[in-house]
Amino acid sequence: MSVPSILLRKLISTIKDVLNTNFAAFHVVDRCFLYTIMIIKGFATGYFPGAGFSFGEKNFKRWLLMTLHVCWITCAWGLLLTIITMCIPSKVASIFSDDNDVTQVAGKMIKKSNICDFLCFVCYTVGDMNRSIARGIQGAAMGTLLFVVLMFCFGWIMWAAKKKVDNRLERTEDLMYSYTISYGVLFVIDFFFMLPTFLDFIKKYKKAE
């Protein structure tokens, strides 16, 4: 179980009279989340050595091309999963659970958590981008660490906003929006954080040519 999942599970446990079905459904969401990010992590891990070598050789054009490729591939993977989970969320949930009640609840939760799955690639690629250019601390801060902070903040906001709602299922489902909001905010922050680096490298490789 990932750190964001642990945080959300803790918030779910504070909901009055929460049902075991809600917890089981959240575990399905967590498995779907991990399935998405493990593929992205695989591409990011493969990208890192080549990108680091390109930076060391001051081959900025190659670094930019490798970065572009890892971004569009992982974004495309996230987009594919976004489309699938929007169209057949209950079917996706049934892959991870054979309990019909759980899959019905999990389907709604998956749909709310995966709206911005096509943006989740930044959480795991930005870290390797920064490490490849000798910015290890920035990479850790602007990638997974920032995502965990955003998940905690938006998870708590969604929990507090629905605190007076008696429908425990609705409260549990709406907590899943914290994934969607966190992906969107993280993408915007990391885009503007990395933009100066991209522009600088473009200038350098054009100058070298």
Side-chain angles (χ1 to χ4, degrees):
M1 184 176 284
S2 62
V3 174
S5 301
I6 294 172
L7 294 173
L8 287 187
R9 182 179 171 82
K10 180 63 178 176
L11 289 174
I12 292 172
S13 69
T14 63
I15 297 175
K16 185 179 180 181
D17 299 326
V18 67
L19 300 175
N20 289 333
T21 303
N22 298 49
F23 279 113
F26 178 67
H27 283 304
V28 172
V29 175
D30 188 44
R31 289 175 187 174
C32 184
F33 166 73
L34 291 174
Y35 183 74
T36 303
I37 66 173
M38 287 306 168
I39 300 296
I40 292 174
K41 280 185 175 181
F43 280 108
T45 301
Y47 153 85
F48 172 65
F53 180 79
S54 297
F55 176 74
E57 291 290 302
K58 299 189 183 302
N59 190 339
F60 301 111
K61 183 177 181 179
R62 186 176 181 221
W63 185 92
L64 286 165
L65 288 173
M66 290 186 68
T67 302
L68 176 64
H69 280 304
V70 76
C71 286
W72 83 256
I73 290 170
T74 51
C75 181
W77 168 248
L79 179 61
L80 175 63
L81 290 181
T82 298
I83 294 170
I84 292 173
T85 52
M86 290 299 103
C87 295
I88 50 171
S90 296
K91 291 289 184 182
V92 173
S94 66
I95 297 172
F96 304 102
S97 175
D98 55 5
D99 187 313
N100 188 57
D101 291 335
V102 172
T103 56
Q104 291 302 313
V105 175
K108 297 176 183 178
M109 295 168 73
I110 287 173
K111 197 169 183 177
K112 291 181 178 181
S113 67
N114 284 28
I115 296 172
C116 287
D117 241 17
F118 60 96
L119 297 179
C120 73
F121 72 95
V122 295
C123 182
Y124 304 98
T125 55
V126 165
D128 283 307
M129 284 180 208
N130 281 280
R131 281 189 285 273
S132 72
I133 57 177
R135 295 179 183 171
I137 295 175
Q138 293 96 319
M142 300 307 297
T144 307
L145 182 59
L146 180 57
F147 177 63
V148 171
V149 172
L150 289 172
M151 281 291 295
F152 177 81
C153 292
F154 290 117
W156 185 85
I157 290 170
M158 294 303 300
W159 176 86
K162 294 285 185 175
K163 193 171 183 179
K164 295 183 179 180
V165 175
D166 293 329
N167 189 328
R168 52 183 176 264
L169 181 56
E170 181 185 338
R171 290 189 65 191
T172 307
E173 289 175 8
D174 286 350
L175 274 175
M176 300 303 106
Y177 281 126
S178 55
Y179 282 107
T180 295
I181 300 170
S182 296
Y183 288 149
V185 174
L186 183 67
F187 177 81
V188 173
I189 293 173
D190 283 346
F191 174 80
F192 286 105
F193 176 77
M194 292 299 297
L195 186 60
T197 299
F198 291 140
L199 295 176
D200 182 46
F201 283 8
I202 289 171
K203 287 180 182 178
K204 285 180 177 178
Y205 97 73
K206 284 186 175 180
K207 187 177 180 181
E209 289 182 340

